[in-house]
Amino acid sequence: AQSVTQLGSHVSVSEGALVLLRCNYSSSVPPYLFWYVQYPNQGLQLLLKYTTGATLVKGINGFEAEFKKSETSFHLTKPSAHMSDAAEYFCAVTLANAGGTSYGKLTFGQGTILTVHP
Amino acid sequence: EAGVVQSPRYKIIEKKQPVAFWCNPISGHNTLYWYRQNLGQGPELLIRYENEEAVDDSQLPKDRFSAERLKGVDSTLKIQPAELGDSAVYLCASSSGNNYGYTFGSGTRLTVV
């Protein structure tokens, strides 16, 4: 079984400041990890994903995340926040089966609402 | 390429009434998912299809919820009868198993009054 914990349901930053959204996972097998963003009344948009290979993953809109197996973490960062980054962010995990294809079920964290102040 | 299409976007019904949601996945995506997102929470899986077969429906409340995926393409999720606690956003997603690229639709926001 897998689970995801997002530390901090609300994060507030000033425009231009560093964005750090925390995600820790629990998984009995190597995980595949994702960050999604959700704007009001919209679906989920993929920001980035880690499956295999390089542990530092770059995504859209200047976001990146680093998979740290020893810390079971996959924190999301952006060097400089923009007003348009205000949204809710979800970390999610799925499992790779022995064949390397997706196990199928995405398990999400509770979400972190990011507020950006002028 | 069109994304995952869901309809309707919004639905308001009285409790005990039936309701249905429709999803058209991305062409060629053999895996289809229905998730429910309660207010202030992350989405939770209701059911997963591989082609036309439901391979994981362990979280689907089968006394009132049903789903089908005809010919392995479009899918319908039904609730009958609806309860107040069913108010949520119902998200459909699809993926092609080789790239872990889950794509979500815009969701249907259900309000049961």
Side-chain angles (χ1 to χ4, degrees), chain B residues 5-6 27 50 63 76 85:
Chain B
V5 180
Q6 290 187 246
S27 177
E50 294 288 347
D63 57 335
T76 303

Side-chain angles (χ1 to χ4, degrees), chain A residues 32 34 36 38 41-44 46 49 51 88 90 94 100-111, chain B residues 9-10 33 35 37 40-45 48 56 59 91 97-102 104-107 109:
Chain A
Y32 293 161
F34 305 77
Y36 285 87
Q38 187 175 37
N41 298 315
Q42 295 188 27
L44 298 168
L46 180 67
K49 62 185 177 185
T51 54
E88 189 163 17
F90 291 94
T94 191
T101 56
S102 169
Y103 197 82
K105 173 183 176 180
L106 273 175
T107 299
F108 287 86
Q110 293 292 89
Chain B
R9 284 298 312 277
Y10 304 92
Y33 314 79
Y35 285 84
Q37 185 177 18
Q41 298 183 21
E44 294 180 326
L45 181 70
R48 174 168 69 97
D56 184 356
Q59 300 302 309
L91 294 164
N98 294 329
N99 65 4
Y100 327 106
Y102 305 86
F104 284 82
S106 297
R109 181 177 297 275

Side-chain angles (χ1 to χ4, degrees), chain B residues 16-88:
Chain B
K16 300 184 180 180
Q17 294 301 306
V19 65
F21 315 124
W22 175 80
C23 173
N24 178 241
I26 290 177
S27 177
H29 279 193
N30 57 322
T31 309
L32 184 145
Y33 314 79
W34 283 102
Y35 285 84
R36 177 169 61 187
Q37 185 177 18
N38 293 313
L39 186 65
Q41 298 183 21
E44 294 180 326
L45 181 70
L46 290 174
I47 190 168
R48 174 168 69 97
Y49 282 94
E50 294 288 347
N51 298 306
E52 66 274 11
E53 181 183 0
V55 296
D56 184 356
D57 62 357
S58 57
Q59 300 302 309
L60 189 72
K62 299 181 183 64
D63 57 335
R64 297 184 299 107
F65 285 65
S66 65
E68 61 182 6
R69 189 180 184 196
L70 299 176
K71 299 182 180 179
V73 182
D74 293 359
S75 178
T76 303
L77 179 68
K78 299 178 181 178
I79 309 175
Q80 183 171 12
E83 297 179 352
L84 295 177
D86 296 331
S87 295

Side-chain angles (χ1 to χ4, degrees), chain A residues 19-90:
Chain A
V19 175
L20 171 61
L21 304 182
R22 300 178 185 275
C23 172
N24 287 90
Y25 69 90
S26 173
S27 172
S28 57
V29 297
Y32 293 161
L33 296 157
F34 305 77
W35 274 100
Y36 285 87
V37 60
Q38 187 175 37
Y39 297 99
N41 298 315
Q42 295 188 27
L44 298 168
Q45 180 183 7
L46 180 67
L47 281 176
L48 50 79
K49 62 185 177 185
Y50 168 79
T51 54
T52 58
T55 57
L56 181 61
V57 181
K58 296 185 184 298
I60 62 172
N61 302 337
F63 285 94
E64 63 181 37
E66 185 171 11
F67 170 58
K68 292 187 177 181
K69 184 177 179 181
S70 62
E71 299 177 6
T72 61
S73 68
F74 191 58
H75 302 329
L76 182 71
T77 60
K78 182 174 181 178
S80 177
H82 191 272
M83 296 295 290
S84 61
D85 294 328
E88 189 163 17
Y89 292 79
F90 291 94

